[in-house]
């Protein structure tokens, strides 16, 4: 975790920002809950345990700054709540998501399946893709099984 914090600190410094204690607490919460796609309010409640003096506005400003610097990805999965996800060090692009429209669970696809499409866009349209995001909305395996069980009962 410390190496990732150091890398984020370098990213901030390269843009003229400091890793203040409040920003570090926010980053630590994001790292500790990396798979959870936390909202700003979720982050705030967890950061308050580390830094009780921090305010919600500070957490919002920190998340927006980290988003602008591409340290985190700000996402909306259609429920009107912005969620934040750390960008992986080893990926050129953000990972993709499978979102269940019934129960709201999210699964991640860590592989980048769109490389060939990006190459085709460059070749055929002269368009250089800098980033992309892909979310699939559907029904997860658990909800599908419940739905199938209900169909059998009826």
């Amino acid at each position: 975790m410390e190496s990732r914090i150091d890398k984020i600190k370098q990213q901030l410094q390269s843009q003229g920002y400091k890793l203040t204690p409040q920003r570090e607490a926010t980053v630590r919460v994001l790292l500790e809950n990396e798979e959870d796609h936390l909202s700003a309010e979720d982050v705030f409640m967890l950061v308050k345990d580390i830094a009780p003096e921090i305010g919600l506005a500070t957490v919002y400003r920190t998340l927006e700054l980290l988003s602008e610097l591409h340290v985190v990805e700000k996402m909306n999965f259609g429920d009107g709540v912005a969620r934040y996800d750390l960008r992986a060090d080893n990926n050129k692009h953000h990972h993709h998501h499978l979102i269940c429209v019934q129960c709201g669970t999210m699964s991640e696809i860590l592989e980048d399946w769109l490389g060939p499409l990006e190459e085709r866009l460059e070749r055929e349209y002269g368009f250089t893709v800098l980033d992309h995001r892909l979310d699939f909305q559907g029904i997860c395996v658990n909800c599908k099984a419940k739905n199938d069980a209900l169909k059998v009962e009826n």
Side-chain angles (χ1 to χ4, degrees), residues 50-95:
I50 300 168
E53 74 287 350
I54 199 166
L56 181 59
T58 300
V59 171
Y60 269 109
R61 283 192 305 272
T62 299
L63 291 170
E64 286 302 313
L65 174 64
L66 295 173
S67 179
E68 289 171 21
L69 298 177
H70 302 289
V71 173
V72 298
E73 185 79 17
K74 183 178 180 179
M75 301 172 293
N76 188 322
F77 293 120
D79 59 359
V81 177
R83 300 182 191 286
Y84 298 86
D85 201 9
L86 282 167
R87 293 182 72 101
D89 290 339
N90 55 349
N91 287 346
K92 177 182 173 191
H93 298 296
H94 192 67
H95 56 266

Side-chain angles (χ1 to χ4, degrees), residues 49-147:
D49 293 338
I50 300 168
E53 74 287 350
I54 199 166
L56 181 59
T58 300
V59 171
Y60 269 109
R61 283 192 305 272
T62 299
L63 291 170
E64 286 302 313
L65 174 64
L66 295 173
S67 179
E68 289 171 21
L69 298 177
H70 302 289
V71 173
V72 298
E73 185 79 17
K74 183 178 180 179
M75 301 172 293
N76 188 322
F77 293 120
D79 59 359
V81 177
R83 300 182 191 286
Y84 298 86
D85 201 9
L86 282 167
R87 293 182 72 101
D89 290 339
N90 55 349
N91 287 346
K92 177 182 173 191
H93 298 296
H94 192 67
H95 56 266
H96 311 301
H97 297 92
L98 305 175
I99 305 161
C100 181
V101 297
Q102 286 187 346
C103 69
T105 60
M106 288 174 264
S107 302
E108 296 179 343
I109 302 171
L110 297 178
E111 298 173 57
D112 186 1
W113 295 336
L114 298 180
L117 177 58
E118 288 181 11
E119 292 169 9
R120 184 173 173 189
L121 291 169
E122 175 78 37
R123 188 175 57 251
E124 293 182 20
Y125 296 92
F127 187 83
T128 302
V129 176
L130 300 177
D131 202 357
H132 65 258
R133 208 178 113 223
L134 183 62
D135 296 330
F136 294 93
Q137 296 184 358
I139 300 172
C140 71
V141 67
N142 294 331
C143 288
K144 188 174 184 316
K146 288 176 191 173
N147 292 345

